[in-house]
Amino acid sequence: VVGSDVGIQTYTYVKLAPHASARRLLQAMPTMAPALWSRPPKGWALALKLVRMDRIATNPWFNPGFSSRLAMITIVGFGILIIAGINFVNLLTARSARRAREVSVRKLAGAQRRVLVLQFLSESIFYVIAATVAAVALTELLLPHVNAFLTAGATFRYWQDPALIGAILLAALLLGTLAGAYPAFALSAFRPLRVLTGETRQSRSAGWMRQILVTVQFSILIGLIIAAAVVYQQRQFATGDALRVDTDQI
């Protein structure tokens, strides 16, 4: 419970009884304020609100800079996912010559294009889900060491948060579908006659697409490197040069 006025902030920790309703307590708080302070000074106001203990770190009242840091980390995370997705697309399209004969033989055997598209999309989603499982395992393995290095207390208890599990699965399915869509349509478009006669040259549009993807990939990567260098220099300045004092032997 946070109580505040113009110049005073107080924090009271409350443990609710089993099966108690936090919502009803929150609704009753406006009527509690006059009872706590019957004659407030002129121009002052008392405000009460309820904050869960496990959400203090994400509450703007206790952590004013959390929203901006979360937005920055989200942008970096999306950038890394885009780089990984583009790399996945480039690897699949680069290996298209190996799958050309398979696609041609299956088309001659009567396979329709939509069946091939679904097959390649399923393979892409399977790869992404396997990578997601490996990422979750590595996060659990490395998080204690990262917390020790950064003196932080980050947790990753996804098994206690169904929404987080759903978000991870949804992200894996979405990324697998988006990253595998272009390779699936490109690979399923091979013409059996050209492939079996030795003509596996890619179209000009496919070449342009790969160049665009590579350019976007390296642009994001260079941007992340520059951002990391700038943040490091700012940190060095804030902890050293900006103090304007000689910290030697102190």
Side-chain angles (χ1 to χ4, degrees):
V1 181
V2 181
S4 66
D5 50 40
V6 174
I8 303 174
Q9 293 183 359
T10 59
Y11 305 98
T12 303
Y13 299 93
V14 179
K15 183 178 180 180
L16 300 182
H19 308 294
S21 175
R23 180 178 299 178
R24 293 182 59 184
L25 178 60
L26 188 61
Q27 293 174 349
M29 279 186 171
T31 61
M32 294 169 57
L36 295 175
W37 197 354
S38 58
R39 294 182 180 180
K42 186 177 181 179
W44 286 28
L46 183 64
L48 296 175
K49 63 180 181 179
L50 197 65
V51 180
R52 283 179 47 168
M53 285 288 296
D54 57 349
R55 296 182 181 177
I56 287 180
T58 61
N59 189 278
W61 186 281
F62 294 91
N63 197 349
F66 173 77
S67 299
S68 58
R69 290 197 297 270
L70 180 62
M72 180 183 65
I73 295 174
T74 302
I75 293 173
V76 172
F78 273 112
I80 294 174
L81 281 179
I82 292 174
I83 292 175
I86 292 176
N87 191 42
F88 181 74
V89 172
N90 289 332
L91 288 176
L92 286 184
T93 53
R95 296 180 56 188
S96 60
R98 299 184 180 181
R99 309 287 305 263
R101 293 183 180 275
E102 173 193 348
V103 172
S104 300
V105 171
R106 292 194 60 186
K107 279 190 172 182
L108 291 176
Q112 297 181 354
R113 186 180 181 183
R114 67 170 181 270
V115 176
L116 297 174
V117 170
L118 289 176
Q119 174 193 343
F120 293 129
L121 281 177
S122 301
E123 292 178 1
S124 301
I125 293 174
F126 174 78
Y127 292 147
V128 174
I129 291 177
T132 302
V133 173
V136 170
L138 287 175
T139 301
E140 288 189 299
L141 181 64
L142 298 178
L143 188 59
H145 304 284
V146 174
N147 284 334
F149 178 73
L150 299 177
T151 62
T155 59
F156 186 55
R157 300 173 182 174
Y158 58 91
W159 60 88
Q160 297 178 353
D161 192 351
L164 180 58
I165 296 177
I168 292 174
L169 293 176
L170 181 61
L173 293 174
L174 184 61
L175 183 61
T177 302
L178 294 177
Y182 174 72
F185 284 100
L187 294 176
S188 62
F190 282 120
R191 298 183 179 180
L193 181 60
R194 290 185 177 181
V195 173
L196 297 178
T197 55
E199 185 180 350
T200 58
R201 182 178 57 187
Q202 292 184 343
S203 64
R204 183 176 300 179
S205 60
W208 277 105
M209 179 60 70
R210 290 188 61 185
Q211 292 180 8
I212 292 174
L213 291 176
V214 171
T215 303
V216 172
Q217 179 183 12
F218 278 97
S219 298
I220 297 175
L221 185 59
I222 293 172
L224 291 177
I225 294 174
I226 294 175
V230 171
V231 170
Y232 175 78
Q233 291 180 353
Q234 288 179 337
R235 181 179 179 85
Q236 290 296 109
F237 177 78
T239 57
D241 299 340
L243 299 178
R244 303 298 183 191
V245 295
D246 185 9
T247 58
D248 187 26
Q249 299 182 357
I250 295 180

